[in-house]
Structure formats: structure tokens, C-alpha cells
Amino acid sequence: MDPEALVMLAVAMGLAAVLYSSVGHGGASAYLAIMALAGIAPATMRPTALALNLVVSAIALTNYSRAGHFDRRLFLTVAIPAIPFAFIGGMTQLPDQFYRPVVGVILLLAAIQFAWKPNRTMSQPPRSLVLIAAGGALGLLAGLTGTGGGIFLSPLLLITGWAKPRTTAAVAAAFIFVNSLAGLAGNVSMLGELPTGLGWLALAVGAGGLIGSRLGAAVVSRAILMRLLALVLVIAGGKLLFT
């Protein structure tokens, strides 16, 4: 990759990291779209996106946790069943024409809800069995779609009112981190396909993650946070529908 292309790629990914990390997401869907536009080989794209996901989600989790927004019980209850189901989902091949449009529409509908009604009523989380079942289902979706799963977890927690926006962002960041780590481990045979400029890309998304997660954890209002999430879901849903 020539230096000029690497700089453009790093800037685009850094800006995406600012947006995604503000709501606790790693940005894998945006990185995949950017790399596709840059003409990077498909074999390189997935492990690269997962590696960058780890950087941003770790930074987002750190900032949200320091601000006191992380709910350990909620995270463990959904994450523990998600990991094995994400592995199963990663081994399952469904026709693109089946799952991509369905998931894309679901994300866009959730985005509309958050953009129009940013102030939602909170309710108590359900019993652990419900959260365990939800975690397994979300892990399966994460494996099927090749994402960290945060784009599914955040809408669920917010639409049901099971968690506040910043708690949702913190839990989503941790959820994305463990799923991305598992996904990258599953792609260990592809690690030789990582681009030579990965270190610079990691620095760019790391800087974006620092900025975005600090804004989301302590600065922006709840309504703005919800609308930022709506924008993230529109991007992710659009990618599934139109790429």
C-alpha cells in the first residue's frame, strides 16, 4: 500500500472510530466498507477489521468504565452464552440474500426509533434466563454477520429499557471486545494477510476511539448519544442492504 493511500485510509477509519466509539462500538462495519472502497483484498479485510475493533472497543470500555457506567453482571450474563454461539454462527454459511436484508432492515427500524424518540423509559432488566437466551441469540447473529455484535446488543438494551444509554455503550464495548477476540482467534490462519500498514491504522482508530469514547462517556447528552447510535445503525444497516 502506497503512503498516500495509507494516509487516506487512516483518516477515514479514524473519523469512523470517533463516531462508533462514542456509542461504545468498535467500528468493524465502517472499516469493512472503507477497505472495500479502497480495493483491499477480501481475505485481508475481515481480520484487519477485527483487529481494529479490538483497539477501539478496549479504549471505549476503559473510558466508559472509568466514568462508572459499566454493569459487570449485565455484561457477563449476555456475553458468556454469546461466545460459543458466535463460534457456531461463524461456522454457519447462510445465503446473503436471506440474512443481510433482514438484519439490515431491523437495524434501520431501530435507528428510526432512536432518532425520533431519544428519551426512552427505563425498566428493570429481566431475569437472568431471559438475558442468557438473548445473549446466545445475539452471539449467533454476531457470528453469522462477522461483526462484534454490538449493533444488535445496543438496540435490544435500549428499546427494552433494560439499560441506560451510557451503560449500554459500556456493556456493548465489552461485548464487542470479547466477540472480536474470539473471531480473530478463529481467523488465526489469516493473520498473515494483515496489511503492512496495520500499525498506522491502529494508531488512527485508537486516537479516534479516545476522542469519541470520552465524548460519549462524559460530554454529550443522552438525546445526542441516542441519535449518534441511530446514525451508526443506519451505516451498519445500509452496508448490509447495499453492499
Side-chain angles (χ1 to χ4, degrees), residues 28-198:
S29 60
Y31 307 145
L32 289 170
I34 292 168
M35 286 187 284
L37 291 173
I40 292 175
T44 304
M45 289 168 55
R46 187 173 180 183
T48 300
L50 288 171
L52 297 178
N53 232 23
L54 286 174
V55 174
V56 178
S57 60
I59 292 171
L61 174 60
T62 299
N63 281 329
Y64 274 97
S65 295
R66 285 178 176 173
H69 301 301
F70 184 60
D71 185 328
R72 186 188 303 272
R73 175 189 170 274
L74 180 59
F75 163 68
L76 291 175
T77 308
V78 296
I80 290 174
I83 294 172
F85 277 94
F87 180 78
I88 294 171
M91 295 176 61
T92 306
Q93 296 293 327
L94 291 178
D96 278 2
Q97 64 269 25
F98 174 75
Y99 80 87
R100 292 177 73 89
V102 172
V103 174
V105 169
I106 291 172
L107 294 179
L108 292 178
L109 290 175
I112 292 170
Q113 284 282 326
F114 298 146
W116 285 3
K117 298 178 180 179
N119 295 306
R120 309 190 67 84
T121 302
M122 295 293 104
S123 63
Q124 291 295 320
R127 293 182 178 179
S128 294
L129 286 178
V130 176
L131 289 173
I132 289 170
L138 293 173
L140 185 63
L141 278 174
L144 289 172
T145 57
T147 66
I151 56 173
F152 307 117
L153 178 62
S154 294
L156 174 67
L157 294 180
L158 291 171
I159 288 174
T160 57
W162 292 346
K164 296 178 180 179
R166 287 189 172 89
T167 300
T168 294
V171 172
F175 190 77
I176 290 167
F177 183 85
V178 296
N179 281 327
S180 296
L181 189 61
L184 194 58
N187 282 273
V188 67
S189 62
M190 299 171 64
L191 293 182
E193 300 293 334
L194 293 173
T196 55
L198 179 63

